[in-house]
Amino acid sequence: MPDLLAVIRESEPYKALLSAFASSRAPHALLAQAPALFHEAVAVEIARLYLCAKGTGDDDCASCRSWKGNEHPDFVRPAQWDRPPGIDDCRAMAAELYLAPVIAPRRFAVIPNAGKLSLPASNSLLKVLEEPPSWGGLLLLSEEMSLLPTIKSRTWHLKFKFEEELSPLSLPKTKDEWLTTIACASGMSFQEAAAMFERWVKYCLEEGDLNKAKKLGEVKLVFEKGRLPAYMAFDLLFGFLEEDLPDELFGYFR
């Protein structure tokens, strides 16, 4: 699988943002369409642009040096990436956005799964969209552009495509191929490994192998709930698919 960050940075939406920063016309509010699986990765890369003093997202400015993994003092992250925030969460994030930046030229907040926001939660965002602080940036992420017209009309729209990253992928066929895949997994991000599971499940379903698809789904659930390292999840998958570990063992991981 291609490096996910490279895919994002080479995408047309990302290049459009780079161009906007280069001409000092970056919008204060964005609405990005992308699969939910990649919301965190897309949000972090866009946040790096907004919080960079030069708008490149990858230099030696004090703000860029302040990143610790996916954390930054001026990055207002959601409590959970896999579900939309409620009205209280939206209000709290908006309030944080109005605080003065700690080290970056801006503060940047993210609303994941914005297409599934409740009506009250959606309405609570209108003030920050209509009267944003001069230093604030807001990103709404959604799988579909099914948001209130009042929100859509106040945001700059981006569409990230990940067709290849989510297309069906055949499973390793030999033990050596499995060992190579497990070894490579040590360098994978959570999103990249989760995408591999998605692609393998799709392949098994296309091939009509429902038993393997079911086992893949079980291991994927263990991987996501436990936030296991990718290599451990793939090794576990190898055990269930190729070494006939009994399905009863799934009970120990739930």
Side-chain angles (χ1 to χ4, degrees), residues 12-22 27 30 46 49-50 156 158:
E12 291 304 316
Y14 186 85
K15 290 179 180 178
L17 275 178
L18 275 177
S19 177
F21 273 102
L30 300 168
I46 293 178
L49 286 178
Y50 271 80
W156 195 30
L158 302 171

Side-chain angles (χ1 to χ4, degrees), residues 76-206:
V76 185
R77 295 166 56 92
Q80 295 176 299
W81 289 98
D82 60 350
R83 64 188 62 182
I87 184 171
D88 291 338
D89 295 321
C90 287
R91 286 173 174 168
M93 293 178 75
E96 283 200 55
L97 195 61
Y98 278 91
L99 297 176
V102 176
I103 193 169
R106 304 174 181 83
R107 284 176 69 77
F108 191 75
V110 178
I111 305 291
N113 291 288
K116 298 178 182 178
L117 286 169
S118 67
L119 183 58
S122 295
N123 287 331
S124 72
L125 297 174
L126 291 179
K127 180 180 178 181
V128 73
L129 290 172
E130 293 170 348
E131 302 174 14
S134 59
W135 57 81
L138 179 65
L139 170 64
L140 289 84
L141 288 155
S142 180
E143 289 194 293
E144 302 294 339
M145 291 299 193
S146 54
L147 286 88
L148 292 178
T150 48
I151 288 180
K152 293 174 70 174
S153 65
R154 290 167 172 78
T155 53
W156 195 30
H157 300 176
L158 302 171
K159 185 175 182 179
F160 288 87
K161 299 178 181 179
F162 293 96
E163 285 87 350
E164 182 180 346
E165 287 67 35
L166 292 174
S167 62
L169 179 69
S170 62
L171 289 158
K173 294 180 174 59
T174 66
K175 185 174 182 179
D176 285 343
E177 288 182 5
W178 271 106
L179 292 176
T180 299
T181 300
I182 293 168
C184 290
S186 61
M188 283 186 183
S189 68
F190 177 83
Q191 286 85 7
E192 287 171 328
M196 288 283 281
F197 273 107
E198 291 279 353
R199 299 177 71 187
W200 282 335
V201 169
K202 286 184 178 181
Y203 174 80
C204 290
L205 291 175
E206 284 192 354

